[in-house]
Amino acid sequence: MNKNYIIPNEWSLIEDVFDDENVKASESLFSIGNGAMGQRANFEENYSGATFQGSYIGGIYYPDKTRVGWWKNGYPEYFAKVLNAPNWIGIHIKINETELDLNTCKVSNFKRELNMKEGWLSRSFVAQLTSGDKIEVHTKRFISIDSNETGAIEYHIKALNFSGEITFSPYVDAGIVNEDSNYDEYFWEILEIIEGENSGCILSKTLKTEFHVSTAMQVAFALNSKEITLSQQTKVEDKKLTYTYKVSVNEGDTASIYKYASYTSSLNYKIEDLNAAALSNVENANKLGFEALLNTQIKSWEKIWSTADIVIEGDVKAQQGIRFNIFQLNQTYLGTDARLNIGPKGFTGEKYGGSTYWDTEAYCIPFYMATKDANVAKNLLMYRYNQLGKAIENAEKLGFTNGAALYPMVTMNGEECHNEWEITFEEIHRNGAMVYGIYNYVNYTQDFEYVVKNGLEVIIAIARFWHQRANFSEAKDKYVILGVTGPNEYENNVNNNFYTNYLAKWCIEYAVECLNKVKHNYPEDFERVISKTNLKAQETYKWLEVSDNMYFPFDEEKNVYLQQDGFLDKELIPVKKLDKSQRPINQKWSWDRILRSCYIKQADVLQGMFFFEDKFSKDELKRHFDFYEPLTVHESSLSPCVHSILAASIDRMPKAYEQYLRTARLDLDDYNHEVHEGCHITSMAGTWMSVVQGFGGMRVYEDGMLSFNPQIPQEWKSYSFTINFRGTIIKVFKSQTTCKFFNESGNQIKMFVNDKEVLLPSKEFVKL
Amino acid sequence: MNKNYIIPNEWSLIEDVFDDENVKASESLFSIGNGAMGQRANFEENYSGATFQGSYIGGIYYPDKTRVGWWKNGYPEYFAKVLNAPNWIGIHIKINETELDLNTCKVSNFKRELNMKEGWLSRSFVAQLTSGDKIEVHTKRFISIDSNETGAIEYHIKALNFSGEITFSPYVDAGIVNEDSNYDEYFWEILEIIEGENSGCILSKTLKTEFHVSTAMQVAFALNSKEITLSQQTKVEDKKLTYTYKVSVNEGDTASIYKYASYTSSLNYKIEDLNAAALSNVENANKLGFEALLNTQIKSWEKIWSTADIVIEGDVKAQQGIRFNIFQLNQTYLGTDARLNIGPKGFTGEKYGGSTYWDTEAYCIPFYMATKDANVAKNLLMYRYNQLGKAIENAEKLGFTNGAALYPMVTMNGEECHNEWEITFEEIHRNGAMVYGIYNYVNYTQDFEYVVKNGLEVIIAIARFWHQRANFSEAKDKYVILGVTGPNEYENNVNNNFYTNYLAKWCIEYAVECLNKVKHNYPEDFERVISKTNLKAQETYKWLEVSDNMYFPFDEEKNVYLQQDGFLDKELIPVKKLDKSQRPINQKWSWDRILRSCYIKQADVLQGMFFFEDKFSKDELKRHFDFYEPLTVHESSLSPCVHSILAASIDRMPKAYEQYLRTARLDLDDYNHEVHEGCHITSMAGTWMSVVQGFGGMRVYEDGMLSFNPQIPQEWKSYSFTINFRGTIIKVFKSQTTCKFFNESGNQIKMFVNDKEVLLPSKEFVKL
């Protein structure tokens, strides 16, 4: 049962009925963030119904004790998890001594809007309290892109049928827990609570990791839009600071509170400066006022959209879906801080503990690369470069030597955060994605300097890993890679996964290619890296011995590469012949049954062909697509986008559109019945790719050339997207009858359109 | 670092130094039990040092909540675990107001003895307390074989250097927890505490399972061996009943307490009768007195040894080792109750939660079958028969239909108690052992009636499982079994494990053979079973389609069956070339490295050849032994015995003896550094097999014929063993120069010795 309560709108998410069944889902969907902090759409006032509270600060984590049923050697004893941070949005409200709580009121005229164009969340409603008092509430909040430690809230209450007293009790509460904590453990220790006039803060630190965070608030008031001053009562509890203000109203009056809040953390400040910095942030915000801050926010989002928007005409739900994806990606990561990355749930939930998966390299980098300046994607690469030491340690724990690196499956700080042996130890293809991310970046930006200065060390360490991880099979007279899990996690501990073997071979070849290039063009850097990594030419010959003789399972009769050894021993029954009652198989079948079935969770052989499409003929692509797609259940959010793009590239637009629909509104329509836990942020980048690389057919080749092959689904009137290609802003417009390219920067640029080389010198260029 | 502190002795375990480092290990080794209840060798008096307290009642368990890092569909939500039961041994001792606690005393003349011939545990020591008072203590205890709900303790204290007061505070304590409980949860609820004169009891019940248990005690006293009466103070706490008695002593006096205790449980009584039954047990014990009870105990053990003993001359440690194994097996299971089974740790520890593994069918049945009456082995089979319904449910949970059964990997009550997918769902070969156990029993006892009345239903349900579990591979044009874990748990989720495929094929063939036999000879039973199981002839043809076309991986060049598909892709480096620092690999290597290595945890292909030795030529056995044994690390306690037996059967006595040494004193010398957690009970049956089936070469064939092929390790002077063969007690004696058979029953019996058919009519028969 998918949800279907979000009102279609081109620029906003809108909910117009209060339904307590939807509260948690909406808390996820209407989340706000600015790449540095984020907030689920929890209510400001008290809510006694079911809710999932979440405030998050980028880079703040806690190493929780690993829990498994049966310990396997190699599991990390502790792993980082996303932490719920002190509550900054809270305002208890009383109307004549009765607390406002939507769970106990009669609620009408409810409306919630997440305005994606301008980056704010609003909510309005009429509530009749248990006392009979009736109020109309309008509230709006945002987290500032411009001043990225600050959030602002306005909260207006109109007395509809009474005269009396309205009590505002804004607070900061550091006594919060995680939903997924063991036995309600607290992860925060409170160090200091500072009270003041209309402003105050709490200094707290995380246990073990000792991140220090100051959470400050400052408040102001108005009556009927006129600023007023109210006398303050202060309550300091163990972990909470609350100010209480009372205002007398007559029927028809509107009383307002403005709350400004700020997190400052020891990631950016000396501990002793944290409180002052946070208090200064809220003081400045208060000085500027809510309207001025909001205007800046609108301008910031205008800038983001200018190089990232996708416009779809003829399908409002498609338009809303794609913008929601772009919006959430930008709320999660803006690329200004190489210590941060893109968690699978962003700032919309806790699930998946750690922050960074191979999703970043395989799915997110293309989006950030094409919609922002090159340094944003570079920061994502630097994140991994900075964690190379830990990746080498991680490989050492598993028995590798000589500087071989295995990047973790899930991580916050470079350490492994996952603990299923078949994933943690065996889903090693992720290591290839690290190199693919670099390759992709270099092609797109032509910034080979990144390889020279940083990337090469990562590439060498990973080539070493693959060299050691393969072994020679006398039976096959080839090198094999045994005991892996591919991207298709519905197979575990298999031998010679095509995708993994292919990436391993490619990583080694790319490593040698980069080494040669650096040797000839950057001899000093070459010496530095060679000396730092203690690499001898002889060692690279051994790598090539492996890559030159890598084994790939192939079936002559079907003329396809096999996902892994023995794949054809399975019963090959297409998904469409599976009874609906058996789907999704990950909920209906026991794990062993899933494993021995032929069903594929997400692209695996096809993931490799997606990455290296130019290495395969169109016939090969078609043959493999036709063999594997019918066996694919797409039970990973990362699956449909790859299939959509491949289908478009082999001229199968109906299939491409079918797969696009599965990815575009995954969360808005809650296909997987789990949006209450948070949104699927990383797969949103896949949706973006489905339009730009899929329908738009955008490709960038090793030689740096850009090409397009625009197609359009029958269901749409037109679509357009904008990309930043090495500083040139190109807009591509495609309707059912025409195709136009706009060069918004005016720089001359050579590219291919539908395999024809063209020059893009001015505003409007080609009509097809 | 193996332990080596147990004094070699032919009939006893002896420890003669008090070392707090050895306390937990000795608590395991010196455990006592009677098949119905058991007790670790915890001290009666208080001990403040490191200790692992354990009292156990057979069949009493608790369904604990499953904990895993990542949930997989199919895991049981709850699983049964062995419960620590109320403490019945405890006696707090005070000497002039100072508590006796070996952790704070000066201890000398310490001696502990577990007398295996007579079935009792004693301890003596001199202790100088912190007060300076010095005492000599002698204590002895046993759990009665004859009256199997009762334990008895005598505890003598001699005042060596003081006159004053000795305080005895015997108690029953139901406020106990499990070592492996989550967050010190209590599993027992206390219902009633009954106090009386010198006797009392606590009625408690287990949470959820609601097993009710009454734990009673009664005490008596003596001064210098003369019975005395002491006045009693009673203390009733929430979960504990304590009586306190003070006795005045002069220097040189010996004060004694006798404590009799009893567990009665709702497995055997109505709840309302439990307290009376327990109190009656201790009253009767007290009337008989300690000496009389002990004499009965000695006789009970004499009877057990008369058909189970193995005598080894020329090697005291070997003698002690084999008797310890036989002794512990008998303490764990005596075969009188079909609701009970043989836990891997018996009554010596909590580990491995549930009670029953395939160890019972594969290793333990031969021991019980050959050393006791046939009904004992039959009770072990009935245990599985009675759980057939749950095995069918278990298979249904995994998607099987039509009455197919999958017996659990670990169980207490028929429900699965394990939660690693690669074991729980995939180590399905266990299902074959269920049928092999029946086959083995029928051959040995010729009691085909068991198949007719009970076994056939189990055999049918398991044939159905194998039929459904295999699938047809078009690529191989054969039936394959994908995604299994074989007995070698250092491979997970492999395809076409030879052992599993072989058992599957054999199970189906045996099922059809049994069906035909029952059809012809027991037509009425046939109709009953056919109707109950709704089996049609047509279905069995489909089974045979699978068994007739089962695939077995085989390498032509090496001329061996492969453990599984792809085994030869591994690097085959013999164990002896592995650096010692890498061993045991299960502690030194991460799991993925173990999996992709060639190393074998325990017999796998060879386990199959051990079970079905007569189906393979000696050359085949040798070839497979020579291929697999060098790759085997024997890191399961169940591995060496199989290799010892196979080595003996292919005339490799030095290898057989080498492997025998690894199994015989596993716990006594603590090879695996884990004896503190309990003893490896089930592998002890393997040790017994190493002597009787290995060195003695005993075999029983499908036609019921018995044969021997006695050999002797160079290191021994002689050995002899006794078996009960269909009611005939046969003793086999083998020295370096002679071999004799004794027929202690005097029934004529035909058998083969060294392939020559002989008749065993009288006491002494053959000398070789």
Side-chain angles (χ1 to χ4, degrees), chain A residues 220-236:
Chain A
F221 301 92
L223 184 62
N224 297 325
S225 305
K226 271 182 205 148
E227 201 174 309
I228 54 169
T229 310
L230 297 174
S231 75
Q232 168 184 329
Q233 278 183 309
T234 302
K235 188 173 172 193
V236 179

PDB file of all heavy atoms in Angstrom, chain A residues 220-236:
ATOM      1  N   ALA A 220      12.465  36.313  20.175  1.00  0.00           N
ATOM      2  CA  ALA A 220      11.855  37.646  20.131  1.00  0.00           C
ATOM      3  C   ALA A 220      10.352  37.462  19.948  1.00  0.00           C
ATOM      4  O   ALA A 220       9.908  36.371  19.569  1.00  0.00           O
ATOM      5  CB  ALA A 220      12.443  38.459  18.979  1.00  0.00           C
ATOM      6  N   PHE A 221       9.604  38.533  20.209  1.00  0.00           N
ATOM      7  CA  PHE A 221       8.146  38.390  20.208  1.00  0.00           C
ATOM      8  C   PHE A 221       7.470  39.543  19.490  1.00  0.00           C
ATOM      9  O   PHE A 221       8.035  40.637  19.360  1.00  0.00           O
ATOM     10  CB  PHE A 221       7.628  38.329  21.657  1.00  0.00           C
ATOM     11  CG  PHE A 221       8.227  37.180  22.416  1.00  0.00           C
ATOM     12  CD1 PHE A 221       9.397  37.347  23.158  1.00  0.00           C
ATOM     13  CD2 PHE A 221       7.649  35.916  22.319  1.00  0.00           C
ATOM     14  CE1 PHE A 221       9.965  36.279  23.824  1.00  0.00           C
ATOM     15  CE2 PHE A 221       8.222  34.844  22.987  1.00  0.00           C
ATOM     16  CZ  PHE A 221       9.376  35.024  23.737  1.00  0.00           C
ATOM     17  N   ALA A 222       6.271  39.276  19.049  1.00  0.00           N
ATOM     18  CA  ALA A 222       5.445  40.347  18.461  1.00  0.00           C
ATOM     19  C   ALA A 222       3.992  40.087  18.829  1.00  0.00           C
ATOM     20  O   ALA A 222       3.592  38.952  19.079  1.00  0.00           O
ATOM     21  CB  ALA A 222       5.609  40.367  16.948  1.00  0.00           C
ATOM     22  N   LEU A 223       3.240  41.182  18.893  1.00  0.00           N
ATOM     23  CA  LEU A 223       1.788  41.067  19.059  1.00  0.00           C
ATOM     24  C   LEU A 223       1.163  41.851  17.919  1.00  0.00           C
ATOM     25  O   LEU A 223       1.480  43.024  17.715  1.00  0.00           O
ATOM     26  CB  LEU A 223       1.365  41.641  20.420  1.00  0.00           C
ATOM     27  CG  LEU A 223      -0.135  41.480  20.750  1.00  0.00           C
ATOM     28  CD1 LEU A 223      -0.539  40.007  20.814  1.00  0.00           C
ATOM     29  CD2 LEU A 223      -0.466  42.182  22.073  1.00  0.00           C
ATOM     30  N   ASN A 224       0.342  41.160  17.153  1.00  0.00           N
ATOM     31  CA  ASN A 224      -0.239  41.760  15.949  1.00  0.00           C
ATOM     32  C   ASN A 224       0.837  42.429  15.102  1.00  0.00           C
ATOM     33  O   ASN A 224       0.709  43.596  14.709  1.00  0.00           O
ATOM     34  CB  ASN A 224      -1.344  42.744  16.329  1.00  0.00           C
ATOM     35  CG  ASN A 224      -2.479  42.014  17.037  1.00  0.00           C
ATOM     36  OD1 ASN A 224      -2.781  40.860  16.710  1.00  0.00           O
ATOM     37  ND2 ASN A 224      -3.075  42.672  18.032  1.00  0.00           N
ATOM     38  N   SER A 225       1.921  41.693  14.905  1.00  0.00           N
ATOM     39  CA  SER A 225       3.044  42.101  14.055  1.00  0.00           C
ATOM     40  C   SER A 225       3.908  43.215  14.632  1.00  0.00           C
ATOM     41  O   SER A 225       4.849  43.670  13.983  1.00  0.00           O
ATOM     42  CB  SER A 225       2.573  42.534  12.646  1.00  0.00           C
ATOM     43  OG  SER A 225       1.817  41.510  12.051  1.00  0.00           O
ATOM     44  N   LYS A 226       3.582  43.655  15.840  1.00  0.00           N
ATOM     45  CA  LYS A 226       4.436  44.686  16.443  1.00  0.00           C
ATOM     46  C   LYS A 226       5.333  44.058  17.488  1.00  0.00           C
ATOM     47  O   LYS A 226       4.863  43.316  18.358  1.00  0.00           O
ATOM     48  CB  LYS A 226       3.572  45.773  17.103  1.00  0.00           C
ATOM     49  CG  LYS A 226       3.218  46.878  16.125  1.00  0.00           C
ATOM     50  CD  LYS A 226       2.409  47.969  16.810  1.00  0.00           C
ATOM     51  CE  LYS A 226       1.571  48.689  15.759  1.00  0.00           C
ATOM     52  NZ  LYS A 226       0.300  49.174  16.307  1.00  0.00           N
ATOM     53  N   GLU A 227       6.626  44.406  17.392  1.00  0.00           N
ATOM     54  CA  GLU A 227       7.601  43.838  18.318  1.00  0.00           C
ATOM     55  C   GLU A 227       7.208  44.141  19.760  1.00  0.00           C
ATOM     56  O   GLU A 227       6.816  45.261  20.066  1.00  0.00           O
ATOM     57  CB  GLU A 227       8.961  44.463  18.008  1.00  0.00           C
ATOM     58  CG  GLU A 227      10.126  43.637  18.501  1.00  0.00           C
ATOM     59  CD  GLU A 227      11.438  44.260  18.021  1.00  0.00           C
ATOM     60  OE1 GLU A 227      11.550  44.533  16.797  1.00  0.00           O
ATOM     61  OE2 GLU A 227      12.319  44.467  18.859  1.00  0.00           O
ATOM     62  N   ILE A 228       7.285  43.161  20.641  1.00  0.00           N
ATOM     63  CA  ILE A 228       7.022  43.417  22.074  1.00  0.00           C
ATOM     64  C   ILE A 228       8.109  42.730  22.902  1.00  0.00           C
ATOM     65  O   ILE A 228       8.832  41.854  22.403  1.00  0.00           O
ATOM     66  CB  ILE A 228       5.646  42.861  22.527  1.00  0.00           C
ATOM     67  CG1 ILE A 228       5.536  41.363  22.170  1.00  0.00           C
ATOM     68  CG2 ILE A 228       4.502  43.651  21.928  1.00  0.00           C
ATOM     69  CD1 ILE A 228       4.342  40.676  22.794  1.00  0.00           C
ATOM     70  N   THR A 229       8.195  43.172  24.132  1.00  0.00           N
ATOM     71  CA  THR A 229       9.130  42.532  25.055  1.00  0.00           C
ATOM     72  C   THR A 229       8.306  41.838  26.125  1.00  0.00           C
ATOM     73  O   THR A 229       7.331  42.385  26.601  1.00  0.00           O
ATOM     74  CB  THR A 229      10.042  43.594  25.711  1.00  0.00           C
ATOM     75  OG1 THR A 229      10.583  44.401  24.666  1.00  0.00           O
ATOM     76  CG2 THR A 229      11.167  42.933  26.483  1.00  0.00           C
ATOM     77  N   LEU A 230       8.725  40.620  26.475  1.00  0.00           N
ATOM     78  CA  LEU A 230       7.989  39.875  27.499  1.00  0.00           C
ATOM     79  C   LEU A 230       8.926  39.501  28.638  1.00  0.00           C
ATOM     80  O   LEU A 230      10.130  39.323  28.431  1.00  0.00           O
ATOM     81  CB  LEU A 230       7.388  38.602  26.889  1.00  0.00           C
ATOM     82  CG  LEU A 230       6.339  38.802  25.783  1.00  0.00           C
ATOM     83  CD1 LEU A 230       5.945  37.461  25.189  1.00  0.00           C
ATOM     84  CD2 LEU A 230       5.114  39.518  26.325  1.00  0.00           C
ATOM     85  N   SER A 231       8.365  39.405  29.821  1.00  0.00           N
ATOM     86  CA  SER A 231       9.236  39.048  30.940  1.00  0.00           C
ATOM     87  C   SER A 231       9.443  37.543  30.924  1.00  0.00           C
ATOM     88  O   SER A 231       8.572  36.767  30.530  1.00  0.00           O
ATOM     89  CB  SER A 231       8.642  39.522  32.262  1.00  0.00           C
ATOM     90  OG  SER A 231       7.579  38.678  32.606  1.00  0.00           O
ATOM     91  N   GLN A 232      10.613  37.143  31.347  1.00  0.00           N
ATOM     92  CA  GLN A 232      11.102  35.780  31.138  1.00  0.00           C
ATOM     93  C   GLN A 232      11.218  35.035  32.452  1.00  0.00           C
ATOM     94  O   GLN A 232      11.734  35.543  33.433  1.00  0.00           O
ATOM     95  CB  GLN A 232      12.466  35.886  30.448  1.00  0.00           C
ATOM     96  CG  GLN A 232      13.262  34.607  30.406  1.00  0.00           C
ATOM     97  CD  GLN A 232      14.641  34.859  29.790  1.00  0.00           C
ATOM     98  OE1 GLN A 232      14.834  35.731  28.934  1.00  0.00           O
ATOM     99  NE2 GLN A 232      15.619  34.119  30.241  1.00  0.00           N
ATOM    100  N   GLN A 233      10.714  33.791  32.453  1.00  0.00           N
ATOM    101  CA  GLN A 233      10.991  32.890  33.580  1.00  0.00           C
ATOM    102  C   GLN A 233      11.963  31.840  33.063  1.00  0.00           C
ATOM    103  O   GLN A 233      11.789  31.314  31.959  1.00  0.00           O
ATOM    104  CB  GLN A 233       9.724  32.170  34.003  1.00  0.00           C
ATOM    105  CG  GLN A 233       8.826  32.976  34.914  1.00  0.00           C
ATOM    106  CD  GLN A 233       7.642  32.116  35.318  1.00  0.00           C
ATOM    107  OE1 GLN A 233       6.981  31.542  34.451  1.00  0.00           O
ATOM    108  NE2 GLN A 233       7.389  32.031  36.619  1.00  0.00           N
ATOM    109  N   THR A 234      12.949  31.492  33.861  1.00  0.00           N
ATOM    110  CA  THR A 234      13.971  30.560  33.389  1.00  0.00           C
ATOM    111  C   THR A 234      13.902  29.271  34.183  1.00  0.00           C
ATOM    112  O   THR A 234      13.789  29.290  35.402  1.00  0.00           O
ATOM    113  CB  THR A 234      15.367  31.178  33.558  1.00  0.00           C
ATOM    114  OG1 THR A 234      15.398  32.401  32.836  1.00  0.00           O
ATOM    115  CG2 THR A 234      16.453  30.246  33.034  1.00  0.00           C
ATOM    116  N   LYS A 235      13.960  28.145  33.467  1.00  0.00           N
ATOM    117  CA  LYS A 235      13.997  26.851  34.141  1.00  0.00           C
ATOM    118  C   LYS A 235      15.210  26.086  33.614  1.00  0.00           C
ATOM    119  O   LYS A 235      15.332  25.835  32.416  1.00  0.00           O
ATOM    120  CB  LYS A 235      12.713  26.085  33.819  1.00  0.00           C
ATOM    121  CG  LYS A 235      12.544  24.802  34.611  1.00  0.00           C
ATOM    122  CD  LYS A 235      11.157  24.225  34.337  1.00  0.00           C
ATOM    123  CE  LYS A 235      10.993  22.840  34.931  1.00  0.00           C
ATOM    124  NZ  LYS A 235       9.787  22.193  34.389  1.00  0.00           N
ATOM    125  N   VAL A 236      16.118  25.777  34.516  1.00  0.00           N
ATOM    126  CA  VAL A 236      17.297  25.009  34.111  1.00  0.00           C
ATOM    127  C   VAL A 236      17.179  23.616  34.701  1.00  0.00           C
ATOM    128  O   VAL A 236      17.151  23.455  35.923  1.00  0.00           O
ATOM    129  CB  VAL A 236      18.599  25.688  34.597  1.00  0.00           C
ATOM    130  CG1 VAL A 236      19.809  24.860  34.177  1.00  0.00           C
ATOM    131  CG2 VAL A 236      18.701  27.105  34.054  1.00  0.00           C
TER     132      VAL A 236
END
